[in-house]
Amino acid sequence: MKINLNGKISNVKAVWYDEPVIKMIDQRILPETFNIVEVNDTRELYDSIKNMTVRGAPSIGAAAAYGIAQAKALETDVEEAGKVIKSSRPTANDLFFAVDFVLQHEGETKKYAEMYVDSIVERSRMIGVNGNDLIGNNKRILTHCNAGALASVDYGTALSPIRMANESGKKPFVWVDETRPRLQGARLTAWELVQEGIEHKVIADNAAGFLMEREQIDLAIVGADRITRNGDFANKIGTYEKAVLAKENGISFYVAAPLSTFDFSIENGRGIPIEERSEEEVKEVKGVSISPKESRAYNPAFDVTPSRYVTGYITEYGVFKSSDLKILREKGKESIIERIDGSKKVIL
Ligand code: MRU
């Protein structure tokens, strides 16, 4: 992603590997501070995923893939490292997918971790190419959470089509849900859109219904953390209500995600493990208390949207309806290893 740091334009990824150190943009402190965190071992990686220094399903997967390579480079037990890394967060499928993928290649973990992450970047780019076809000129697009380059190493999932539409001169406008409690929309999506020069406004989480009813939203695109066999999907808490409101108001609602986010082993959304995070995340904003100390809070980090609310799934292979997800399932059965091994380039 292109970023402007004090007038200097650089190209950075959300996470990368400089053996044996994993480097990542600290997503906890943007937009005020841009800082790179160095992760030196499996325990530090576990903490950085759990405390959301790195976040967003594909970026978590990328960090996890590097984590296996790092464990190997440090001559520690890679299977044990895989278990620790997988226990950091429960919902995003990419975490599990990435660890299993690299563990299949214990002898060449660095090569396969790098291939995996290159593949994620290319898949994110292709999601942009495919999703751009759905965006007309001057469309007003709602998004929730951050499904941008920060969340997907580069390009993004939901933001990738918006980036491409902007580059094609279509002048997209983005309504950015603030996304309480961690404010990924207000802090991270807005920051990325500023970097790209894409017009946008941040809205309170409860404003989208009003804007839909007043015909201020043309379509919605969100990311996903896990998509099941029938197309139900988990994404940041608050996504479900936006999808229901979109249907009520006749607004197309798209989910953008790479194959690594699909979990065809789970029949429907009821089977997705939902992370619960700390009460403090709800009771505080940026460390400042906003509730009586006596009050308890409840903080499910994700919700599940049934597939009947989804207009289409924007993937690296094209845009699918839920009834056509079996085509994608067949792609998943092909060996990603063979597809990557066939060439130095990433073959999808
Ligand atoms: O808790 P987070 O910030 O990791 O949640 C992230 C999301 O819900 C994103 O929308 C999802 O991972 C898609 S990211 C391309």
Side-chain angles (χ1 to χ4, degrees), residues 52 55-58 89 145-147 151 157 184 223-225 235-236 302:
M52 295 171 67
R55 50 144 299 281
R89 292 188 76 187
C145 195
N146 171 264
T157 55
Q184 291 94 327
D225 287 82
N235 192 50
K236 183 51 54 194
F302 300 94

Side-chain angles (χ1 to χ4, degrees), residues 22-41:
I22 304 168
K23 298 189 176 173
M24 53 182 67
I25 297 174
D26 190 340
Q27 299 194 38
R28 297 167 301 176
I29 52 176
L30 279 171
E32 290 88 358
T33 310
F34 182 87
N35 189 39
I36 305 300
V37 169
E38 300 198 346
V39 171
N40 296 297
D41 60 26

Side-chain angles (χ1 to χ4, degrees), residues 120-320:
I120 285 298
V121 171
E122 179 58 9
R123 286 164 196 272
S124 302
R125 193 185 69 78
M126 284 306 298
I127 286 171
V129 170
N130 295 330
N132 186 10
D133 292 343
L134 303 168
I135 302 176
N137 288 330
N138 302 308
K139 292 296 177 198
R140 298 155 303 174
I141 305 163
L142 176 74
T143 192
H144 192 69
C145 195
N146 171 264
L150 289 166
S152 192
V153 188
D154 208 347
Y155 298 102
T157 55
L159 285 199
S160 188
I162 296 171
R163 277 174 206 271
M164 303 277 175
N166 186 53
E167 279 162 22
S168 328
K170 293 180 181 172
K171 297 191 185 333
F173 172 89
V174 186
W175 291 112
V176 180
D177 283 339
E178 62 173 348
T179 319
R180 275 282 287 150
R182 299 277 303 211
L183 301 170
Q184 291 94 327
R187 297 190 302 105
L188 306 177
T189 300
W191 180 77
E192 286 196 37
L193 294 173
V194 167
Q195 297 299 325
E196 290 287 326
I198 298 175
E199 226 193 309
H200 63 281
K201 279 186 182 163
V202 179
I203 52 174
D205 279 333
N206 32 20
F210 171 70
L211 291 170
M212 287 185 192
E213 196 271 330
R214 294 293 162 99
E215 299 177 4
Q216 297 294 308
I217 296 176
D218 298 307
L219 73 157
I221 313 180
V222 299
D225 287 82
R226 200 184 287 234
I227 307 173
T228 63
R229 203 178 171 92
N230 75 342
D232 295 352
F233 73 100
N235 192 50
K236 183 51 54 194
I237 192 82
T239 302
Y240 171 46
E241 60 193 50
K242 307 300 180 290
V244 175
L245 282 164
K247 187 157 195 156
E248 167 68 16
N249 288 280
I251 293 166
S252 298
F253 190 93
Y254 291 99
V255 180
L259 190 61
S260 51
T261 303
F262 286 79
D263 181 354
F264 296 113
S265 74
I266 297 182
E267 194 53 48
N268 62 49
R270 282 293 166 107
I272 302 176
I274 299 295
E275 178 182 14
E276 279 178 33
R277 295 187 61 88
S278 76
E279 297 187 34
E280 283 65 40
E281 288 186 353
V282 175
K283 290 181 61 180
E284 295 174 358
V285 174
K286 293 195 158 185
V288 178
S289 174
I290 56 168
S291 297
K293 63 177 185 327
E294 296 82 0
S295 298
R296 299 290 310 271
Y298 176 53
N299 186 13
F302 300 94
D303 60 23
V304 175
T305 302
S307 59
R308 63 180 177 279
Y309 294 107
V310 179
T311 310
Y313 303 81
I314 307 170
T315 77
E316 64 272 47
Y317 299 103
V319 182
F320 298 91

